[in-house]
Amino acid sequence: AQKVTQVQSTGSSQWGEVTLHCSYETSEYFYVILWYKQLFSGEMVFLIYQTSFDTQNQRNSRYSVVFQKSLKSISLVISASQPEDSGTYFCALSEPLDSNYQLIWGSGTKLIIKP
Amino acid sequence: NAGVIQTPRHKVTGKGQEATLWCEPISGHSAVFWYRQTIVQGLEFLTYFRNQAPIDDSGMPKERFSAQMPNQSHSTLKIQSTQPQDSAVYLCASSLEGSGQLYFGEGSKLTVL
């Protein structure tokens, strides 16, 4: 069974708010969820992370997350979306604190933003 | 500050040939990772170095794949006797010790004919 699950694709129009969903499985008390964007060139760009200890949803520029810890769900929210936001977005689970060596990746969500 | 540098960006080899991919991690990062990405399998962990020492190669196909990190500024992934199923984008990433944030290179796209 998938440990990190994402929907395959979604789309939106420019300037709208986009929400990408991710659900995960873990029995760890401490873990980190990270979001990456893969550009069409193949480059992976880090966007934002949320730890299980964070009591507030994290925000980084136009990116924010909605963390529903009890549901083991985390959504990435992109505000004022632009065509340049098109790409594939990956959610990754890191557990526990010291195991930064192996992230468990979702299969990615392909996002298309139309002008 | 330069990011993770991977070379070559594209490599085409014939079946049975050897392919070597290079990665230069971000200066000061102690951890280096190799991943393989295909449409079918998604992102697959291959191997991981910490302070140049191999820590976990559980994702490496044992027979033909090998990875080394001879110095802190350079890691290589070598595939011997390449097969068409080795065709993929190979991603290298580095991170600071204890950080879950990986910085990725742009990847090396390997095509085996």
Side-chain angles (χ1 to χ4, degrees), chain B residues 40-112:
Chain B
V40 173
Q41 298 292 336
L43 267 167
E44 298 177 277
F45 168 80
L46 293 177
T47 189
Y48 155 63
F49 295 87
R50 181 188 289 169
N51 296 320
Q52 297 174 236
I55 302 298
D56 183 350
D57 65 353
S58 59
M60 294 275 277
K62 294 301 179 199
E63 293 183 351
R64 300 180 292 106
F65 283 61
S66 62
Q68 293 183 324
M69 192 160 184
N71 56 60
Q72 64 186 7
S73 62
H74 167 221
S75 176
T76 59
L77 178 68
K78 183 183 289 185
I79 308 170
Q80 295 178 311
S81 186
T82 54
Q83 303 297 310
Q85 61 265 31
D86 298 331
S87 298
V89 175
Y90 289 83
L91 291 164
C92 176
S94 69
S95 77
L96 289 167
E97 182 70 28
S99 164
Q101 184 176 334
L102 272 62
Y103 293 81
F104 283 83
E106 293 186 310
S108 293
K109 184 175 181 179
L110 175 67
T111 302
V112 182

Side-chain angles (χ1 to χ4, degrees), chain A residues 43, chain B residues 1-6 23-27 29 92-94 103-106:
Chain A
E43 182 182 0
Chain B
N1 189 17
V4 175
I5 299 171
Q6 288 190 250
C23 172
E24 180 180 330
I26 293 174
S27 177
H29 282 191
C92 176
S94 69
Y103 293 81
F104 283 83
E106 293 186 310

Side-chain angles (χ1 to χ4, degrees), chain A:
Chain A
Q2 284 266 9
K3 198 160 184 177
V4 180
T5 304
Q6 296 181 254
V7 296
Q8 192 170 14
S9 63
T10 189
S12 181
S13 298
Q14 189 172 2
W15 305 122
E17 183 175 271
V18 176
T19 300
L20 307 178
H21 299 285
C22 172
S23 60
Y24 55 91
E25 298 172 21
T26 183
S27 57
E28 296 291 336
Y29 182 61
F30 178 84
Y31 54 89
V32 183
I33 303 291
L34 305 98
W35 282 93
Y36 286 82
K37 175 187 176 184
Q38 186 167 39
L39 307 178
F40 292 124
S41 66
E43 182 182 0
M44 294 278 273
V45 177
F46 169 77
L47 299 177
I48 192 169
Y49 75 89
Q50 176 93 19
T51 80
S52 59
F53 287 173
D54 291 325
T55 56
Q56 291 187 323
N57 291 326
Q58 298 302 297
R59 173 175 291 275
N60 179 17
S61 185
R62 293 187 298 113
Y63 304 105
S64 62
V65 297
V66 177
F67 184 43
Q68 297 176 288
K69 187 174 177 179
S70 61
L71 298 178
K72 291 191 170 64
S73 168
I74 185 165
S75 299
L76 175 70
V77 180
I78 306 172
S79 61
S81 61
Q82 302 162 15
E84 304 87 85
D85 293 326
S86 297
T88 302
Y89 289 78
F90 288 90
C91 169
L93 167 68
S94 177
E95 50 169 13
L97 172 64
D98 193 42
S99 67
N100 64 320
Y101 70 94
Q102 190 165 351
L103 296 179
I104 303 166
W105 295 85
S107 55
T109 297
K110 187 172 183 179
L111 175 66
I112 303 292
I113 304 294
K114 296 181 178 178

